[in-house]
Amino acid sequence: MRRALLALLLALPVAGLMAGAAVSGRYAGLRGGVFKSVLRYEDAKNGVRIQPFALMRTPVTNAQFLEFVKRHPQWQKGKVPGVFAEPRYLQHWAGPTTLGGNALPDRPVVWVSWFAAEAYCKSLDARLPSWNEWEYAAAADETRLDARSDPAWRERILGWYARSSKEALPRVGLQAPNVYGVQDLHGLVWEWTEDASSLMVDGDNRNQGDPDKGKFCGAGALSMDDRENYAVLMRVAMLSSLEGRDATANLGFRCARSAR
């Protein structure tokens, strides 16, 4: 009975989340609330407040990004200034407006910089999700709002991280949706967040807890409340090691929209 009630509540539309698009379409609505992050913020020890928002159900694909660069040629391969994208930007594409065999249309777009990802989202009247929004959505599994205490769930995620990055990426949408209707948060690609450049937690977990080792927007120290949840630490270390112009073979993105 509780599960059925939960499913009903999650299926209800979130008022004002998006203009001109149903939440049941490309985006899923998340109601928000107080979220106890695995990261311990000195200025938010009881959790962070997540406002209602909408999140793309799947990462942006090569085909979708191709349509973007056709409409906005300044973001085409070979035309982006170096300050906004490194030379490897979209290196797997056959040409500025050609995908080719190494960038199939239904695969997540990778080799894309933070600046390009943010520009794509803004073109849709959207934005990149914040770190806390992404982790809030990613804490859920197929039946639970928060599966982070389940060792089997953690092992499943770490098993993906252990796979070689040289393997061909599968298409988006193959994974079962979580309780919010969001797919591929784990097991496909790493994803940019809006505040990625502010994540500066030391990649060595022996240093976590030292307020001089990690700062978040200068607002307070970061450390790990749950050091067994190594996957979160890996995500922080990954994003904090990058600059906005960087691009990698296994880093993509999806967009979010705020409540209005």
Side-chain angles (χ1 to χ4, degrees):
M1 180 65 180
R2 287 182 178 178
R3 183 172 295 180
L5 180 59
L6 174 61
L8 176 62
L9 288 173
L10 289 171
L12 293 175
V14 180
L17 274 179
M18 298 186 298
V23 172
S24 58
R26 191 175 179 185
Y27 292 81
L30 287 80
R31 293 185 171 275
V34 176
F35 177 61
K36 191 66 171 65
S37 175
V38 171
L39 300 179
R40 186 168 64 246
Y41 301 98
E42 285 189 347
D43 56 342
K45 294 182 179 180
N46 296 321
V48 294
R49 170 65 64 177
I50 306 294
Q51 298 298 327
F53 71 104
L55 187 65
M56 281 185 174
R57 296 178 182 275
T58 57
V60 174
T61 65
N62 285 306
Q64 291 164 341
F65 201 76
L66 176 61
E67 291 304 310
F68 165 71
V69 300
K70 286 180 177 178
R71 296 193 308 269
H72 304 275
Q74 68 269 31
W75 290 103
Q76 291 176 8
K77 174 181 178 180
K79 295 183 179 180
V80 184
V83 69
F84 295 130
E86 63 162 291
R88 296 181 299 173
Y89 173 72
L90 295 179
Q91 70 169 17
H92 61 313
W93 285 22
T97 58
T98 307
L99 296 180
N102 293 324
L104 297 179
D106 57 359
R107 269 47 171 185
V109 66
V110 291
W111 292 111
V112 60
S113 69
W114 180 93
F115 292 105
E118 178 73 356
Y120 175 93
C121 293
K122 286 184 176 179
S123 76
L124 301 179
D125 194 24
R127 57 175 174 78
L128 289 171
S130 71
W131 162 263
N132 284 321
E133 287 173 336
W134 198 97
E135 288 295 328
Y136 173 79
D141 69 0
E142 295 85 351
T143 60
R144 295 168 290 185
L145 293 173
D146 192 343
R148 292 176 297 172
S149 63
D150 183 352
W153 183 78
R154 294 178 179 180
E155 287 300 318
R156 186 171 67 174
I157 296 172
L158 288 174
W160 168 63
Y161 289 163
R163 293 206 311 262
S164 171
S165 61
K166 295 181 180 180
E167 295 180 13
L169 293 172
R171 65 177 176 85
V172 305
L174 288 179
Q175 298 180 28
N178 68 13
V179 294
Y180 302 115
V182 181
Q183 297 171 268
D184 302 327
L185 287 165
H186 306 288
L188 187 56
V189 290
W190 306 83
E191 296 185 21
W192 282 114
T193 64
E194 188 175 46
D195 46 2
S197 63
S198 300
L199 297 171
M200 296 183 291
V201 174
D202 197 305
D204 185 343
N205 67 349
R206 294 171 299 179
N207 294 332
Q208 301 310 315
D210 182 345
D212 292 329
K213 297 293 185 181
K215 301 291 183 183
F216 183 81
C217 296
L222 278 179
S223 59
M224 291 291 287
D225 259 350
D226 182 0
R227 301 189 186 195
E228 291 185 6
N229 203 328
Y230 192 62
V232 177
L233 180 59
M234 290 175 68
R235 289 196 289 274
V236 177
M238 164 70 169
L239 289 174
S240 65
S241 69
L242 298 172
E243 297 180 357
R245 66 189 296 272
D246 290 339
T248 77
N250 54 3
L251 179 62
F253 70 99
R254 71 181 76 209
C255 305
R257 283 180 170 174
S258 303
R260 295 175 181 175

